[in-house]
Amino acid sequence: MSEGLKSAVFRREREATWRRLQSLVRKAEEKGLRALTTEELIALPQLYRATLASLSVARDVSLDASLIAYLENLSLRAHLFVYAVRETFGQAVNGFFGETLPRAVRAAVAHVVLAGAALALGATVAYALVMGSDEWFYAFVPEHLAGGRTPDADVEHLRSTLAGGGGGEGGLAIYATSLFVHNAGIGLFAFALGFAAGVPTLALLFYNGAVLGAFIALFVSRGLGAEMAGWLTIHGATELFAVILCGAAGLMVAGAALFPGDRRRLDAMAETGHQAAVVAAGAVPLFFAAGLLEGFGRQLIEDTGTRLAIGLGIFGLTITYLALAGRERR
Amino acid sequence: MNAGARLYEEAAKTAAKGVRTLVTPEGAALNVKLASIGDRFGALVLDVLFIFLAIAAFGLFMAWVGSLGVPTLALIVWLLVFFGVRFFYFVYFEIAWRGATPGKRIVGVRVVDRGGAALTKEAVLARNFLREIELFLPMTLLLSGAGFGLGALISLAIFIWIVCLLIVPFINKDRMRAGDIVGGTLVIRQPKPILMEDLAASQTADGFAFTREHLAHYGAFELQTLEALLRRPPGPVRNDTMAAVHARIAAKIGWTRAEPSTEAFLRAYYRALREHLERQALFGLRKKHKHDEPQKPTAPEG
């Protein structure tokens, strides 16, 4: 008699598939995907698609609400396994540095240039103003950043701040680590600020550039330009580039929010946000390298030529890696 | 649409509140239940607690290591671990545990791609780096009092900005925070497994001869309401409700025969009604509820 009930027949024909998928999903939920055998791993997406097809049919022919709820529940639970992050954490890290990161940076060249320009503009403006009048220095550099390196200090004191030294080796290591933690935090902050239409990101870049420009002007005006260049370049080339990358990432998000083009604004932000996050994440190891260079390199190496060579060399390697790694083979 | 029908439409809409549809890459629509703000806040509190505990416990351990004669090394390792945990706790777990951190797992919520595709590591990175301004900056500001030694105006501006970010999940219907917007993700409730027996498969309509007239009064909504009633756990409330429903149905369809068992009648009527409605659906006549008058979609006009 129950032959007449179309949905019951439908269910009888397919129930075995559903039960098989159910047992696989339950196993994966309890013990993790790794507990599944190779055959089970191959079967999982097939069973998932068959169940999904059953769901579509059931929605059409069946008025059994609990059956539809069951199929929907099972499909969703399977979906969370079939369409989860597909890599292990190790593979994700590998793919990230091998392909994802350099490709994302290459695709974001325009934003990198824009972020760099904001920084350079800040530096130029502050440089010109401070060269014109020392008073401007105090406008750009807050007291705790200056640390005694002000226009009031005499040249010998300024020269001494450019030298290395300072503490035993232990002191340097702690210094380097805390620099890294601090700078990486600022960089990711610059990225996150992109969410606010990019204005705070540009302001942060401009302001960082201004502090830099003010310092350069101070030292150049005291005839310490060359030493300053060495002192700054050994870590600054890497660190500023990392700041610029983070800023560029923030600008990408802002750009997508302001000019979504023919995509929905939310879609545009999500799509661009993925690429931008990759660029910002790539800056983290750069900050780490810069922290080491600043904490150790700059303190232990005092020769300006060597400082310049190391700073520019590592910067060059970074650029080469970003420019060449992970290109599609032709 | 008459007033009664409108009522049904609204009931359906309320039932769908907090439910979103993911379209899988296969093109099937799956309904997911959004995690509530409370769920997500609970998960976040747990995760932040775990982060603090991990950092503190490791700090104690490193203090002990330091006391063995390598204080500098201990401090450096601790700083690096601090950084690693603070920035990558969420990223690591959302990749390795497929969208769930320990806090999320305990609460029973999960991150999924908004478009129904696979969750990518880029999405996980994006949604978690945004925590810098949503979570860690406000926490830093709170812990350090006035902020970064900034002027009152800037502090106020930052405060307003943070408040704006914190209300983002409350003002969009998908309860997305800023990180979810940039990451293209949703946070949903982890579905709990269900399996229920098919009511109709286990019973027959033997002894009940319902005619088309008997079955023409109700639609899918009433059928499923009846199904929900029959699935309720046994008890006096269920029995009373069934008796009342029996009386109403009998009055409406004109079933005058006295039934010894209310439940047997309702089960038989459920089965017969479902068979009737499913057959009608094959002809394109879908009666959604009792006020609905379905038209044949392909019926020629005039």
Side-chain angles (χ1 to χ4, degrees):
Chain A
M1 173 67 202
S2 72
E3 279 302 317
L5 207 49
K6 292 273 185 280
S7 58
V9 177
F10 164 80
R11 176 183 164 133
R12 245 196 329 274
E13 283 169 354
R14 291 169 179 76
E15 201 168 330
T17 305
W18 307 339
R19 288 196 184 278
R20 174 112 198 275
L21 179 64
Q22 178 182 294
S23 74
L24 287 190
V25 167
R26 183 179 294 162
K27 192 169 166 190
E29 278 171 349
E30 282 165 6
K31 297 176 191 156
L33 267 182
R34 260 174 239 176
L36 300 189
T37 64
T38 313
E39 289 97 62
E40 286 173 330
L41 277 177
I42 294 169
L44 182 67
Q46 295 167 350
L47 293 169
Y48 158 73
R49 294 204 172 95
T51 305
L52 212 52
S54 300
L55 173 64
S56 300
V57 178
R59 278 185 177 140
D60 236 32
V61 305
S62 177
L63 285 168
D64 184 354
S66 64
L67 175 71
I68 294 173
Y70 166 74
L71 284 177
E72 178 136 27
N73 174 271
L74 182 59
S75 304
L76 179 58
R77 282 158 65 209
H79 176 86
L80 292 177
F81 283 102
V82 175
Y83 292 105
V85 182
R86 282 175 198 172
E87 302 151 303
T88 65
F89 190 69
Q91 287 168 332
V93 170
N94 229 338
F96 181 81
F97 287 109
E99 286 179 1
T100 316
L101 172 64
R103 284 181 190 169
V105 173
R106 285 199 291 274
V109 164
H111 294 90
V112 174
V113 169
L114 181 59
L119 192 94
L121 184 66
T124 314
V125 168
Y127 180 83
L129 288 172
V130 174
M131 284 308 260
S133 157
D134 280 348
E135 288 309 304
W136 279 103
F137 183 85
Y138 300 101
F140 291 117
V141 185
E143 187 120 3
H144 68 274
L145 263 183
R149 295 168 290 181
T150 67
D152 293 332
D154 59 44
V155 176
E156 277 321 301
H157 175 71
L158 287 179
R159 188 190 302 279
S160 73
T161 63
L162 295 180
E169 249 173 73
L172 295 185
I174 297 169
Y175 183 47
T177 321
S178 56
L179 280 173
F180 159 61
V181 172
H182 173 256
N183 293 339
I186 292 209
L188 294 183
F189 185 48
F191 161 60
L193 281 177
F195 195 70
V199 176
T201 304
L202 284 175
L204 196 68
L205 287 167
F206 183 87
Y207 178 69
N208 267 314
V211 173
L212 184 70
F215 269 121
I216 294 176
L218 172 66
F219 283 92
V220 169
S221 68
R222 299 297 189 274
L224 296 168
E227 291 90 334
M228 171 71 179
W231 180 85
L232 186 67
T233 308
I234 186 167
H235 73 285
T238 304
E239 183 178 312
L240 290 176
F241 184 58
V243 169
I244 289 171
L245 281 186
C246 286
L251 294 179
M252 288 165 76
V253 176
L258 291 175
F259 311 110
D262 49 9
R263 301 170 292 182
R264 283 171 61 223
R265 193 179 307 276
L266 277 182
D267 294 342
M269 285 179 79
E271 209 172 292
T272 314
H274 290 184
Q275 295 302 306
V278 168
V279 174
V284 172
L286 287 181
F287 279 118
F288 186 68
L292 292 182
L293 286 171
E294 188 172 6
F296 289 104
R298 194 179 71 192
Q299 305 305 106
L300 300 177
I301 300 163
E302 304 204 354
D303 176 58
T304 296
T306 318
R307 280 178 170 180
L308 277 174
I310 292 179
L312 293 178
I314 290 186
F315 178 67
L317 283 178
T318 312
I319 298 289
T320 315
Y321 154 69
L322 289 175
L324 298 180
R327 283 200 183 270
E328 304 265 352
R329 296 227 176 101
R330 305 203 172 175
Chain B
M1 189 189 302
N2 61 35
R6 200 165 300 130
L7 215 66
Y8 282 97
E9 304 289 325
E10 271 165 26
K13 227 178 262 171
T14 317
K17 206 175 174 199
V19 173
R20 294 290 170 276
T21 305
L22 292 183
V23 180
T24 72
E26 293 84 9
L30 290 179
N31 291 326
V32 296
K33 209 162 175 298
L34 291 180
S36 72
I37 303 267
D39 288 338
R40 301 186 56 174
F41 187 71
L44 179 66
V45 168
L46 284 174
D47 282 327
V48 170
L49 187 71
F50 293 152
I51 291 177
F52 268 116
L53 286 179
I55 288 175
F58 195 74
L60 283 179
F61 175 67
M62 276 295 137
W64 174 75
V65 171
S67 72
L68 299 180
V70 280
T72 313
L73 182 71
L75 187 59
I76 293 166
V77 172
W78 181 77
L79 270 172
L80 287 178
V81 168
F82 171 85
F83 175 81
V85 172
R86 179 185 177 296
F87 283 95
F88 292 109
Y89 170 91
F90 289 98
V91 172
Y92 173 79
F93 281 112
E94 284 180 12
I95 289 177
W97 287 12
R98 304 181 333 279
T101 57
K104 288 193 181 72
R105 193 173 237 192
I106 292 170
V107 173
V109 298
R110 183 177 279 284
V111 181
V112 295
D113 182 84
R114 202 158 63 218
L119 185 65
T120 60
K121 58 177 184 282
E122 289 88 348
V124 171
L125 280 176
R127 77 185 297 280
N128 285 307
F129 282 174
L130 257 286
R131 281 187 209 274
E132 274 310 300
I133 50 169
E134 287 179 299
L135 177 67
F136 291 112
L137 176 68
M139 270 176 26
T140 314
L141 284 177
L142 277 178
L143 294 177
S144 66
F148 304 125
L150 301 166
L153 259 181
I154 299 184
S155 291
L156 182 69
I158 292 182
F159 179 74
I160 293 173
W161 165 237
I162 290 169
V163 169
C164 288
L165 275 176
L166 289 183
I167 60 170
V168 167
F170 294 91
I171 55 173
N172 71 78
K173 63 182 171 45
D174 291 335
R175 297 180 200 143
M176 292 186 289
R177 62 176 180 84
D180 288 317
I181 293 174
V182 175
T185 50
L186 281 180
V187 181
I188 62 163
R189 282 215 64 87
Q190 168 77 30
K192 290 199 180 63
I194 46 174
L195 176 60
M196 278 190 264
E197 288 310 310
D198 185 356
L199 273 184
S202 58
Q203 55 224 305
T204 60
D206 290 348
F208 295 89
F210 294 110
T211 63
R212 280 180 76 95
E213 284 66 40
H214 286 135
L215 300 170
H217 296 275
Y218 295 111
F221 179 84
E222 289 76 20
L223 180 77
Q224 278 156 13
T225 309
L226 179 58
E227 180 186 345
L229 170 65
L230 291 171
R231 282 186 197 285
R232 273 202 220 163
V237 181
R238 178 171 180 264
N239 292 342
D240 292 349
T241 317
M242 286 206 302
V245 171
H246 178 189
R248 289 202 60 165
I249 292 179
K252 181 148 184 132
I253 68 176
W255 190 260
T256 48
R257 204 175 90 188
E259 295 300 337
S261 162
T262 288
E263 182 157 358
F265 169 77
L266 287 181
R267 284 188 181 277
Y269 190 70
Y270 168 80
R271 194 196 177 286
L273 181 61
R274 196 172 120 192
E275 186 172 349
H276 169 73
L277 289 175
E278 283 177 0
R279 184 170 299 142
Q280 292 294 96
L282 286 183
F283 297 108
L285 295 168
R286 294 175 186 279
K287 192 174 168 72
K288 281 188 239 150
H289 46 76
K290 64 185 177 187
H291 299 284
D292 194 20
E293 293 298 337
Q295 304 290 328
K296 237 184 188 156
T298 52
E301 287 180 15

